[in-house]
Amino acid sequence: MTSLTTENHPPAPAAGENTPAGTEREAELLARVPVGLYIDGTWQPGSGEPIIVVDPATGLELTRIANADVADGRRALDAAVAAGPAWAATAPRVRAEILRRAFDLLQERREDFALLMTIEMGKPLAEARAEVGYGGEFLRWFSEEAVRIGGRYGQAPEGTGQMVVSQRPVGPCLLITPWNFPLAMATRKIAPALAAGCTIVIKPAELTPLTTLLFAQLLEDAGVPAGVVNVITTSDSATVAAPLIADPRLRKLSFTGSTGVGRALLRQAAEGVLRTSMELGGNAPFLVFADADLDRAVDGAMLAKFRNIGQACTAANRFIVHASVAAEFARRLVARVEDLRIGRGTEPGVTIGPLVNDAAVANTERLVRDAIDRGATLLTGGFRPDGPGSFYAPTVLTDVAPDSDLLRQEIFGPVVGIVTFTEEDEAIRLANDTEYGLISYVFTENIARGQRMIAGLDTGMMGLNTGLVSNAAAPFGGVKQSGLGREGGLEGIHEYLSPKYTLIPAS
Ligand code: NAD
């Protein structure tokens, strides 16, 4: 090894410097990002102390943004409620064309969004560009879906009348998004909501709010009318969100984030019997069978594990590898991992950025220490590089004991933990032995085995010989405690629609 030396680490910032650590281009971009609350089509100051947004690669302040309190949140909901009837009555074609314009504008402004995500969240620029591509597809897909909101017509079986089923927007929605995919998690909710005719209040994560603010400006430029999209940023999400969820005018809560917070929000949503969509945590098994193409499995592992520095709900969390190929799989994987280059995501050639903050690094360190204490073997990594920023070296552990926290909790860091199996049934049992059920990855060249895995693995999604499945045209979501509902695909728009059945008796 290794490329994981301090030479690859970003240079320490000048002492006392409290301005963006990056280039003039970054400073120019940051100067264009709106920093207010976006309510009823205007940018407004927040009532609380400004939120400081930090670059996780340097620990330096990027900018300060508005901090909403309860009254600000309520004003945002007032705006969404007031704009609701006109937006619901707007022709689907008009809604579709606004979304399509937003898609086109995003392509034009692609580099701004990619750079902004890299500096506020840390992902390498190439990955940020890929997220602009993925996130943008939800705008295009739902612009196409907006004009295909179907209904149903039929005869009552008794012949006593006509049955008509139409679709109506559910009404004002609160959308709460996480920090790890600042653009895609927003577009995956905003696009179907708008396509369905719903108005929204969106609350991005306080760690990475800038992308959503810049995106709100893009939506305004695309022609979204005032009040249809409102953005509130706050350092006190629980206090600001609770009265909105309790407000009888709100009709839908869509949340992406951790299972713990999702559970708490579901309890609150029960009070008003709100429609809910919950995209929660994962603990993805990554199964490699003896008949797998090992190079393909290693390619898949690099994507499924190290994309977004391991900070994805879809990240492979448990590597369950047949005992006969485990040593060779680990050897090839370590070789690839030691070629990763750590650093600030804006630097050419960097493939591993920082984790989102120091708490994330401390959590990763804790999980690795626990696994080693329980007998795991460290093959590479396992340390925090010197220098500023919230970095953790890509790590591979093998012989991980079943009771290790690494296998039971979401890692959310660049750490591979390998366990072995010998029988197919045992692999399925290990894979399903979790409260989560978002995604599984299976590597086998045996079609019949692949089909048995589709049936046997208890997850909402599966990658068969691939480490990346996300697609705007596919239903994304989990079973068990990974969530409720689906985003994307033909299913996605129905999260924001209510069927209305009308009976017309035969005359
Ligand atoms: P988080 O649950 O801490 O926060 C998510 C969002 O909820 C943030 O905007 C946060 O400010 C807000 N929030 C936190 N507590 C709240 C409360 N009491 N009331 C209202 N809002 C509250 O999650 P995170 O750390 O931002 O994101 C990582 C988690 O998200 C991981 O568990 C990951 O698996 C999950 N995730 C899931 C998906 C999916 O599609 N299933 C996608 C991305 C991330």
Side-chain angles (χ1 to χ4, degrees), residues 176-181 185 188 203-206 237-238 241 245 255-259 261-262 264-265 268 279-282 312-313 410 412 438 476 482 487:
I176 300 179
T177 52
W179 50 263
N180 60 345
F181 292 97
M185 297 304 95
R188 216 162 75 172
K203 194 213 78 62
E206 54 272 42
S237 301
I245 297 168
F255 171 76
T256 298
S258 58
T259 295
V261 173
L265 293 176
Q268 293 176 37
E279 297 286 350
L280 307 179
C313 53
E410 256 192 313
F412 251 58
L438 189 61
F476 187 106
S482 285
E487 290 187 328

Side-chain angles (χ1 to χ4, degrees), residues 273-284:
V273 194
L274 283 187
R275 284 279 295 272
T276 56
S277 302
M278 293 279 148
E279 297 286 350
L280 307 179
N283 181 1

Side-chain angles (χ1 to χ4, degrees), residues 174 176 241-242 244-248 250-255 261-278 484:
L174 175 61
I176 300 179
L244 300 184
I245 297 168
D247 192 311
L250 189 77
R251 291 315 316 141
K252 161 100 194 180
L253 170 63
S254 177
F255 171 76
V261 173
R263 267 191 216 109
L265 293 176
L266 276 170
R267 277 188 215 107
Q268 293 176 37
E271 206 52 47
V273 194
L274 283 187
R275 284 279 295 272
T276 56
S277 302
M278 293 279 148
L484 301 167

Side-chain angles (χ1 to χ4, degrees), residues 192-250:
L194 264 49
C198 296
T199 56
I200 65 154
V201 175
I202 181 164
K203 194 213 78 62
E206 54 272 42
L207 291 173
T208 62
L210 303 181
T211 303
T212 304
L213 294 171
L214 191 65
F215 187 64
Q217 190 178 60
L218 180 150
L219 289 175
E220 184 177 294
D221 294 346
V224 173
V228 170
V229 170
N230 305 276
V231 184
I232 51 170
T233 47
T234 175
S235 60
D236 192 354
S237 301
T239 305
V240 172
L244 300 184
I245 297 168
D247 192 311
R249 299 172 301 167
L250 189 77

Side-chain angles (χ1 to χ4, degrees), residues 17 21 27 69 71 76 107 135 164 169 174 187 204 267 270 289 293 317-318 340 353 389 405 448 475 486:
E17 193 176 46
D69 69 2
Q107 310 315 305
V164 179
L174 175 61
T187 56
R267 277 188 215 107
F289 285 94
D293 174 334
N317 218 62
R318 295 169 293 147
L340 292 170
D405 289 347
R486 293 292 182 269

